[in-house]
C-alpha cells in the first residue's frame, strides 16, 4: 500500500475517542506517529473545529493530521490551515432558517424527558445541531438520555416530525453521538469532504466510523462508491482493524 495515494479518514466520537471524551494519548500517538508513516490521515466530524481540538488535546495535534474536515467538511483544514468554508445561512436564507429553528424549539417545548438542560439548538457554520436534552448536560445525564432514546426513539421521532411538517425546507438529518442529531442541506453530509481528496486518493480512501447504519451520520460516506468503508465499535476496534488492514497489505 503506497502512502502517497492512500488516506484513512476517521469519524471522531466512538471511533478514535469515546463519545465526547478526550482522545486517549496512546490512540493519538498511534495515529500520528505510526499510522501516518503508512497512510495519510484525516478526520471528518459533524462537530465544529473547537470541539475537535478539545478532544484531540489542542490545535497542535490537529495540525499533525493531513486533513481535518469539521462540520462534515464545510470547514476544511489541511496541515492545520483552513482552506475552505461553506455556510448554511448562505444556502437557506434567514427566513427558512428561522422557520426551522422556531419549529424545533416549539417541538422540544412539548416533549417530556428525564432531564432537560441548556443549549438545545447549536448553530454551526454548515449545519444546525439539535439536542432534545441539551448539550449542557453532564456525562451521567448524557448516558441517561442515550439509554432513554434507545427505548423511546426521541431523536428518530423528532426527525420524522420535521420531515412531515417542513417537507420543503431543503435539509436532511442524521443521528450522531449520544444526545443530538445534525441538520444540514441535502448533500452536505460527510460525503461533502470527498470533493477535496477524491482525485489525489482515487480508489484508496478508507473511512472508519461507528454509526454506519441507516440514519447514522456515517452512513452516506460509508456507502459511497469512492470509499472503502469500515464499521467499528470503539477506538480499540479501530486500531485492530487498521492493524489488520495494513499488515495484510504491506
Amino acid at each position: 500500500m503506497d502512502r502517497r495515494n492512500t488516506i484513512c479518514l476517521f469519524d471522531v466520537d466512538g471511533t478514535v475517542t469515546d463519545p465526547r471524551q478526550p482522545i486517549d494519548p496512546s490512540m493519538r500517538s498511534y495515529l500520528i506517529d505510526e499510522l501516518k508513516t503508512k497512510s495519510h490521515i484525516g478526520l471528518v466530524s459533524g462537530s465544529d473545529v473547537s470541539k475537535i481540538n478539545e478532544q484531540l488535546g489542542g490545535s497542535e495535534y490537529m495540525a499533525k493530521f493531513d486533513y481535518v474536515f469539521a462540520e462534515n467538511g464545510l470547514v476544511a483544514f489541511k496541515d492545520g490551515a483552513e482552506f475552505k468554508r461553506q455556510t448554511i445561512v448562505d444556502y437557506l436564507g434567514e427566513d427558512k432558517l428561522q422557520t426551522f429553528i422556531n419549529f424545533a424549539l416549539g417541538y422540544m417545548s412539548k416533549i417530556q424527558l428525564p432531564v432537560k438542560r441548556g443549549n438545545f439548538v447549536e448553530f454551526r457554520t454548515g449545519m444546525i445541531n439539535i439536542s432534545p436534552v441539551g448539550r449542557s448536560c453532564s456525562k451521567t445525564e448524557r448516558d441517561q438520555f442515550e439509554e432513554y432514546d434507545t427505548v423511546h426513539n426521541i431523536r428518530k421521532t423528532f426527525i420524522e416530525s420535521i420531515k412531515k411538517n417542513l417537507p420543503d425546507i431543503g435539509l436532511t438529518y442524521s443521528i450522531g453521538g449520544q444526545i443530538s442529531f445534525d441538520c444540514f442541506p441535502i448533500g452536505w453530509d460527510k460525503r461533502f469532504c470527498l470533493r477535496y481528496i477524491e482525485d489525489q486518493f482515487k480508489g484508496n480512501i478508507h473511512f472508519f466510523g461507528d454509526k454506519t447504519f441507516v440514519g447514522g451520520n456515517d452512513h452516506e460516506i460509508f456507502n459511497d462508491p469512492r470509499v472503502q468503508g469500515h464499521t467499528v465499535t470503539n477506538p480499540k476496534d479501530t486500531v485492530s482493524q487498521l492493524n489488520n488492514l495494513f499488515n495484510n497489505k504491506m
Side-chain angles (χ1 to χ4, degrees):
M1 191 179 292
D2 188 346
R3 182 192 184 278
R4 290 173 296 177
N5 63 5
T6 302
I7 187 168
C8 290
L9 285 178
F10 301 93
D11 166 54
V12 179
D13 284 350
T15 301
V16 298
T17 76
D18 291 328
R20 286 302 304 136
Q21 297 301 303
I23 192 170
D24 188 290
S26 64
M27 180 67 171
R28 185 175 60 203
S29 177
Y30 172 83
L31 295 173
I32 293 172
D33 299 329
E34 185 172 341
L35 182 63
K36 195 176 177 183
T37 65
K38 305 172 184 177
S39 166
H40 287 79
I41 57 173
L43 301 173
V44 53
S45 172
S47 295
D48 60 30
V49 68
S50 66
K51 288 187 176 63
I52 295 172
N53 278 333
E54 177 186 324
Q55 288 181 265
L56 289 181
S59 58
E60 66 270 25
Y61 293 110
M62 190 189 88
K64 294 182 183 295
F65 285 80
D66 298 289
Y67 291 92
V68 173
F69 300 111
E71 302 183 42
N72 292 348
L74 277 299
V75 184
F77 295 80
K78 184 175 182 181
D79 300 322
E82 182 181 321
F83 69 90
K84 197 70 176 179
R85 178 179 289 257
Q86 300 275 356
T87 74
I88 193 172
V89 177
D90 292 340
Y91 177 86
L92 281 184
E94 190 62 36
D95 288 346
K96 275 190 173 182
L97 191 62
Q98 288 198 34
T99 295
F100 174 79
I101 291 174
N102 288 344
F103 176 82
L105 290 171
Y107 183 94
M108 285 186 285
S109 73
K110 297 179 179 68
I111 57 176
Q112 193 73 25
L113 299 173
V115 301
K116 280 186 179 179
R117 295 300 177 251
N119 195 7
F120 302 101
V121 177
E122 185 170 85
F123 186 84
R124 300 176 182 172
T125 304
M127 68 177 68
I128 298 170
N129 180 267
I130 303 291
S131 176
V133 66
R135 298 192 66 89
S136 300
C137 64
S138 67
K139 177 67 167 64
T140 300
E141 291 162 347
R142 174 184 289 268
D143 294 340
Q144 182 184 26
F145 175 81
E146 183 180 35
E147 292 176 8
Y148 188 84
D149 186 50
T150 299
V151 175
H152 297 281
N153 293 311
I154 299 299
R155 289 180 288 180
K156 181 180 177 182
T157 304
F158 196 160
I159 290 170
E160 289 170 354
S161 181
I162 296 173
K163 289 178 177 178
K164 178 181 178 180
N165 288 277
L166 301 174
D168 301 319
I169 200 72
L171 297 176
T172 190
Y173 315 93
S174 68
I175 295 171
Q178 295 177 286
I179 60 168
S180 65
F181 61 93
D182 295 327
C183 316
F184 45 84
I186 294 169
W188 285 20
D189 51 60
K190 287 184 178 178
R191 291 173 295 180
F192 192 92
C193 74
L194 297 177
R195 65 190 64 196
Y196 303 123
I197 59 174
E198 60 181 325
D199 290 337
Q200 181 181 357
F201 302 107
K202 188 174 183 179
N204 292 293
I205 301 172
H206 293 267
F207 171 77
F208 297 80
D210 68 318
K211 288 187 167 53
T212 59
F213 52 82
V214 174
N217 64 355
D218 298 324
H219 177 73
E220 292 84 3
I221 190 171
F222 174 82
N223 286 283
D224 191 283
R226 294 168 289 180
V227 169
Q228 298 180 52
H230 307 266
T231 302
V232 301
T233 55
N234 53 49
K236 288 183 179 179
D237 186 37
T238 301
V239 172
S240 176
Q241 292 198 36
L242 284 166
N243 286 334
N244 288 336
L245 175 67
F246 284 93
N247 288 340
N248 289 339
K249 297 198 175 184
M250 288 298 287

